[in-house]
Amino acid sequence: MATDRKLPARKLFNLAGAVLSALSLATAPALARDTVKIAFIGPLTGGNSATGLGGRNSAALAVDLHNAKPDAKYTYELVPFDDECKPNVGVQVATKAASDKSVIAGITHYCSAVAIATVDTYNRFGLPVVVWGAVLPEITYGNDYKEIHRVNGTMINEGKMAAEFLTKQGFKTFVVIHDTTDYGKGQNKYFAENLKPKGGEILATFPVPPDQQDFTAELTKVKELKPDVVFIGGLTPLGVRVRSQMDRLGIPAQLAGVSGIMSAGFIEGAGPAAEGTVSFHNGAPLTKYADGKAFMDAYAKAGYREDPDAYGPFAFSAANLIMDAIEKVGPDRKKVRDVLNTTKGYKALVGEINFDDHRQNIVSANVYVSQDGKWVYWPDSAYATGNKKLPGKVAGN
């Protein structure tokens, strides 16, 4: 959150409970302000909706907190759109949002296949957006569109961390199952190219459609190969299906996956079988952020039914980044874009945001493990201390 605010971010968070309970009282003075619309776009229905709803709620919380500030220049309205994690739907809703001149900026996309499909639309209409969850590097690095920004990291960070961590755990042989979208292909690429220098060996790679339901053929082959690890390059629905069917076929390999499976939906869908699954995510746990507890307190106070999930803090940070830019230069798309392009040292919930020359925030990846029905930061887990052992077969053990 911007350092030039009259009300410091920490104090704002600490007052969040009182602010939220008094929102109705703030309505009257807010009517004197001009209203500025900001779009939120993510998967609000379907297999990835847990992450999308958590992102939407987090962005809405940021808007409510900002609107309750007595010194805010504008009243903000969040306009949500459901991209369903489908590129064709994503382009439709992106076009709807971008063609509406009353929408000044957007907090956009969790699914990489959707995010990469929409960049041309935002550029064509001149709508500045901040990506809050999609990790395909090409979203920022594959073009030089000044309208595209991203606060979360990329799969380059995730692939490097995954290869390093898994080989350090003693795993040597791997099978990769990835979806055939740009997201899945990219995850396979960055994991594979980082794994070989670490001494890992990929025994087989299985590209599969993201909506494939039955993995009997692939997993029968996996069972014959006896890998140490089955690595998933896909989203939650794919991870749930593979995890469940691995158990049915009696495959003892460790399951590891990219941040696409690190959601409440994976743990709910896989049930007890989720235990011990490892994932890699560019965000740190909320407990590691200075204002993490205050965010969770405010989120709980607001009464949202869904968890903020792994990327909610990034959606919250993206919303604040956009609103602070509008506060500086007014509701003008081009001016807001230019302010966002120069972002350096911005104090946000997820830490300091610094955009490189492609408007990509510099973020490090972290390791998480599914433990007792929730995702736990690896260093804080019972697996890291040795009180629990990963369920996979480690060579030599």
Side-chain angles (χ1 to χ4, degrees), residues 291-316:
D291 292 310
K293 184 180 183 303
F295 167 79
M296 284 304 300
D297 289 346
Y299 192 96
K301 182 75 173 179
Y304 297 114
R305 291 180 297 173
E306 304 87 5
D307 189 89
D309 221 65
Y311 282 96
F314 286 101
F316 182 90

Side-chain angles (χ1 to χ4, degrees), residues 107-121:
I107 306 153
T108 56
H109 308 303
Y110 164 68
C111 300
S112 288
V114 180
I116 192 64
T118 56
V119 292
D120 292 341
T121 300

Side-chain angles (χ1 to χ4, degrees), residues 29-311:
L31 293 175
R33 308 171 186 165
D34 290 336
T35 296
V36 178
K37 292 181 181 179
I38 302 171
F40 174 87
I41 307 180
L44 304 180
T45 57
N48 297 289
S49 61
T51 303
L53 292 169
R56 181 204 62 187
N57 295 346
S58 299
L61 176 61
V63 167
D64 286 346
L65 290 172
H66 215 294
N67 284 343
K69 289 185 59 180
D71 58 346
K73 296 177 182 177
Y74 304 96
T75 295
Y76 296 92
E77 178 185 344
L78 191 70
V79 184
F81 295 88
D82 182 8
D83 66 23
E84 301 178 28
C85 199
K86 297 176 181 178
N88 61 324
V89 177
V91 171
Q92 291 172 14
V93 297
T95 301
K96 185 175 182 179
S99 61
D100 182 349
K101 296 301 182 183
S102 68
V103 174
I104 302 304
I107 306 153
T108 56
H109 308 303
Y110 164 68
C111 300
S112 288
V114 180
I116 192 64
T118 56
V119 292
D120 292 341
T121 300
Y122 299 128
N123 172 252
R124 184 169 70 254
F125 284 95
L127 180 70
V129 301
V130 180
V131 175
W132 60 274
V135 296
L136 184 71
E138 286 76 11
I139 294 164
T140 45
Y141 293 125
N143 58 71
D144 195 29
Y145 291 159
K146 306 299 184 183
E147 292 77 17
I148 311 300
H149 314 79
R150 177 162 43 190
V151 289
N152 60 286
T154 76
M155 59 181 64
I156 296 174
N157 314 84
E158 291 181 8
K160 183 177 180 180
M161 175 58 76
E164 180 179 314
F165 174 81
L166 292 169
T167 52
K168 280 187 176 180
Q169 296 302 307
F171 297 119
K172 295 182 180 179
T173 57
F174 299 77
V175 164
V176 177
I177 299 175
H178 70 86
D179 70 42
T180 51
T181 68
D182 288 337
Y183 175 79
K185 289 185 285 188
Q187 292 285 14
N188 175 54
K189 172 188 174 182
Y190 292 110
F191 177 65
E193 70 182 27
N194 281 287
L195 184 65
K196 188 173 181 180
K198 299 296 182 182
E201 178 186 3
I202 295 179
L203 304 178
T205 301
F206 298 98
V208 297
D211 58 353
Q212 181 170 321
Q213 302 295 312
D214 186 0
F215 295 90
T216 302
E218 291 84 1
L219 291 176
T220 297
K221 182 63 175 176
V222 170
K223 189 172 183 178
E224 294 172 358
L225 292 170
K226 299 179 180 178
D228 295 334
V229 177
V230 173
F231 188 82
I232 299 293
L235 300 174
T236 290
L238 177 64
V240 169
R241 295 179 203 128
V242 170
R243 174 67 271 179
S244 301
Q245 293 174 44
M246 281 174 63
D247 276 4
R248 191 182 70 203
L249 292 174
I251 298 172
Q254 171 69 40
L255 185 70
V258 297
S259 61
I261 72 166
M262 193 184 143
S263 70
F266 174 82
I267 292 178
E268 180 181 351
E275 181 70 24
T277 299
V278 174
S279 187
F280 309 90
H281 174 51
N282 284 291
L286 280 168
T287 55
K288 306 300 179 185
Y289 295 134
D291 292 310
K293 184 180 183 303
F295 167 79
M296 284 304 300
D297 289 346
Y299 192 96
K301 182 75 173 179
Y304 297 114
R305 291 180 297 173
E306 304 87 5
D307 189 89
D309 221 65
Y311 282 96

